[in-house]
Amino acid sequence: MKPKVWLKSPKGNVLLILPAFLGIASAASRDWGGAKNALIAVGSAVAFDVGCCLIERRKRIFPDGAFITGLIVSLILSVTSPWYVVAATAAVSILSKHLLAYRKKPLFNPAAFGLLLSVPIFHAQQSWWGAFGDLPGWFLPVVLIGGFWVTNRIQKFPQVFSFAVVYLLALFVLDAGVLPLHAESLRTGGFYDALRPPFINAALFFAMLMLTDPPTSPAKTTDQIVFGAIAGAAGAVIYGLFGGLIYLYIGLLAGNFYQVLRFKFSKRPAKPARPESEIRSYRRLS
């Protein structure tokens, strides 16, 4: 693929935005620990991706997806995370891409899968610093501009809007007392807590740069709406019941699981082959 064509592709656009977020967040916080983690995460992701492709004997090996996964992992994990936690999280993300796949396409979002497992396995700390969660509120428009650019290029606005509406509505219902909120959520304000940093930063970054991942999300408008609604509802319920910062990953993986079930049960059966006698009769007539 020519460089100009690749830069206009979905992956090309994401690989322009994510390094920009990395540079802005690092410069604004005057902490380059995140940049170091990015090198570790990207290096680990690319190494495992290339290794898996070689084992699978793929003819074309171009680990641009591994670059994206590594960058997302590094932008979400805390800048103080040990190097081995960063490398292992990126590695688990890439392994899920190859092991949990159908026809060489991942069933679950690799970054979300790896980041979710990093909490119980590695006790990883996740600050979403690359979404400017640790910076003043006026950095939030940077997330919106970058996210809007990517979402517009890959035409995923129905999915993003569906997620946002259902997510906020579900949080509001939970805060109204329909279901018991987690104690920490009650102390910090429940629904309104989700509208302040770093939660709003994480939700916007997630919705526009992770939820919209083309290989693991639908293309049709109707499917996008359903997918976004499932992710929003599942994420909000997990947030309301348990708190923490893993609720977004669970929401996305719930949407991915819906995609798997939809594909499995909506698959049209193959047309039965014509009998050999019918084929011979057709040949005689022609």
Side-chain angles (χ1 to χ4, degrees):
M1 185 182 295
K2 296 180 179 179
K4 290 184 178 180
V5 176
W6 179 81
L7 285 174
K8 294 180 180 180
S9 68
K11 289 183 178 179
N13 279 268
V14 175
L15 278 174
L16 289 176
I17 297 298
L18 293 181
F21 281 11
L22 175 68
I24 294 172
S26 297
S29 62
R30 297 180 181 179
D31 186 348
W32 296 96
K36 180 189 70 175
N37 284 350
L39 293 175
I40 296 171
V42 170
S44 177
V46 170
F48 271 83
D49 194 36
V50 172
C52 290
C53 288
L54 290 174
I55 293 173
E56 296 167 1
R57 296 182 179 180
R58 295 195 183 187
K59 295 181 179 179
R60 179 182 175 272
I61 301 178
F62 187 56
D64 48 354
F67 269 89
I68 294 173
T69 299
L71 285 170
I72 290 176
V73 166
S74 66
L75 290 171
I76 292 176
L77 290 179
S78 171
V79 296
T80 59
S81 298
W83 69 268
Y84 53 87
V85 171
V86 177
T89 302
V92 170
S93 301
I94 295 301
L95 287 176
S96 74
K97 170 185 172 182
H98 290 272
L99 296 178
L100 303 176
Y102 178 74
R103 292 181 179 178
K104 298 182 179 180
K105 289 187 177 182
L107 298 177
F108 300 97
N109 184 283
F113 193 92
L115 287 164
L116 176 61
L117 290 185
S118 72
V119 176
I121 296 177
F122 309 120
H123 304 287
Q125 296 181 348
Q126 302 178 3
S127 64
W128 294 79
W129 70 277
F132 315 111
D134 298 331
L135 297 174
W138 53 269
F139 277 92
L140 192 61
V142 180
V143 181
L144 286 170
I145 294 171
F148 179 91
W149 174 268
V150 172
T151 305
N152 182 57
R153 296 295 295 180
I154 58 180
Q155 300 180 354
K156 295 281 186 176
F157 279 116
Q159 188 167 290
V160 172
F161 287 145
S162 173
F163 167 81
V165 170
V166 173
Y167 172 68
L168 293 174
L169 181 61
L171 284 177
F172 183 80
V173 171
L174 288 170
D175 202 24
V178 177
L179 288 176
L181 282 172
H182 185 252
E184 180 183 352
S185 299
L186 285 174
R187 287 197 303 269
T188 53
F191 168 75
Y192 300 100
D193 184 51
L195 301 180
R196 69 173 182 83
F199 298 100
I200 186 63
N201 301 65
L204 289 173
F205 182 100
F206 167 83
M208 295 181 172
L209 296 170
M210 293 180 67
L211 189 74
T212 56
D213 177 41
T216 56
S217 64
K220 294 183 179 179
T221 300
T222 304
D223 295 334
Q224 286 189 40
I225 293 173
V226 175
F227 183 91
I230 291 174
V237 169
I238 296 299
Y239 171 79
L241 294 176
F242 303 106
L245 281 172
I246 64 172
Y247 59 95
L248 294 173
Y249 313 136
I250 296 177
L252 176 50
L253 296 179
N256 291 151
F257 188 67
Y258 158 76
Q259 280 286 94
V260 174
L261 294 178
R262 186 180 68 85
F263 176 79
K264 180 179 179 180
F265 292 106
S266 66
K267 194 175 181 181
R268 294 181 179 179
K271 293 182 179 179
R274 290 184 177 182
E276 184 64 25
S277 59
E278 183 180 340
I279 296 175
R280 286 196 297 267
S281 298
Y282 175 79
R283 287 174 178 172
R284 284 198 298 270
L285 291 173
S286 59

